[in-house]
Amino acid sequence: MYLKIFPKIYFSKNTSSLLDKKVFRKKNRIETLFYKTCYHLLVLFGIGYFPKIPGTFSSLFAILSWRVMSFFCSDKTISLISLVYILLGFFICYIMRCEDYNCIVLDEFSGMFLITSSFEEPNIKKIVESFFAFRVLDIIKPFPINLLEKKIKDGVGIMMDDLLIALSIILYFR
């Protein structure tokens, strides 16, 4: 079934909710379910609405998720899951065509999960250093990275800046 992509999600002034009910009023149930699922993935099932530092909590959740998965999955499987998170993030950000609000934390989750899944021999020191480096660079957004979010439209820039930060941290630890 073809899903029509509406042009833009309109945000409320206080960004307490990414979804505007007017946007979903005329959609059929399957489309509404699809977009609401995308929305919940963008805010990582509510982590994005933590009152303070939601990006940091989503990065910590990525480390916790990676750690739990590392008990049950091989390194190749975790790398594949990381790739799926990244592709899913690009797809959702493109479909939703939204700006990078504080409540959107799927990009931080994907970036930190990529970092942790790239460690060959993880230890607590590497994990803590990469976590702090990722968060500091994500907040500061140094020169070439800050242009991505501004220049690349349709929500893809949201994912690109965090993935570039993650790749630079991965290269640093190699």
Side-chain angles (χ1 to χ4, degrees):
M1 174 181 207
Y2 174 73
L3 296 174
K4 292 181 182 177
I5 302 171
F6 50 84
K8 185 168 179 144
I9 294 226
Y10 297 96
F11 297 88
S12 61
K13 291 180 182 176
N14 62 3
T15 66
S16 63
S17 175
L18 278 172
L19 299 176
D20 187 354
K21 292 184 182 7
K22 294 177 189 174
V23 174
F24 290 100
R25 191 174 296 154
K26 295 182 182 178
K27 303 290 177 194
N28 64 33
R29 288 183 181 171
I30 294 174
E31 285 180 282
T32 302
L33 179 66
F34 174 76
Y35 286 112
K36 285 187 178 184
T37 304
C38 289
Y39 157 75
H40 287 297
L41 287 171
L42 274 177
V43 297
L44 213 56
F45 301 101
I47 291 177
Y49 287 117
F50 283 8
K52 301 283 184 186
I53 54 174
T56 303
F57 283 113
S58 70
S59 298
L60 288 171
F61 184 67
I63 294 171
L64 178 67
S65 300
W66 164 79
R67 191 63 187 144
V68 169
M69 284 184 203
S70 67
F71 289 124
F72 302 108
C73 303
S74 68
D75 290 340
K76 289 181 182 180
T77 306
I78 291 176
S79 298
L80 182 65
I81 291 170
S82 178
L83 179 66
V84 168
Y85 282 144
I86 292 167
L87 294 176
L88 186 67
F90 274 114
F91 177 72
I92 291 172
C93 287
Y94 178 76
I95 293 291
M96 300 297 270
R97 297 182 181 172
C98 49
E99 297 175 22
D100 195 6
Y101 289 97
N102 287 339
C103 56
I104 297 176
V105 293
L106 181 63
D107 52 339
E108 283 92 358
F109 178 83
S110 299
M112 194 65 216
F113 196 86
L114 177 66
I115 292 170
T116 52
S117 66
S118 69
F119 289 145
E120 293 173 6
E121 294 179 17
N123 60 27
I124 192 72
K125 183 181 176 187
K126 274 187 185 178
I127 293 170
V128 170
E129 286 177 356
S130 64
F131 170 75
F132 282 114
F134 179 74
R135 289 308 303 149
V136 167
L137 290 176
D138 188 36
I139 292 168
I140 293 173
K141 295 198 192 309
F143 165 64
I145 294 171
N146 65 357
L147 294 178
L148 287 175
E149 202 169 36
K150 295 174 186 173
K151 298 286 183 183
I152 300 177
K153 300 295 178 195
D154 290 338
V156 177
I158 295 172
M159 288 293 293
M160 285 297 292
D161 65 339
D162 288 300
L163 290 180
L164 237 61
I165 292 169
L167 290 174
S168 63
I169 291 172
I170 290 169
L171 289 175
Y172 175 76
F173 280 105
R174 293 262 165 170

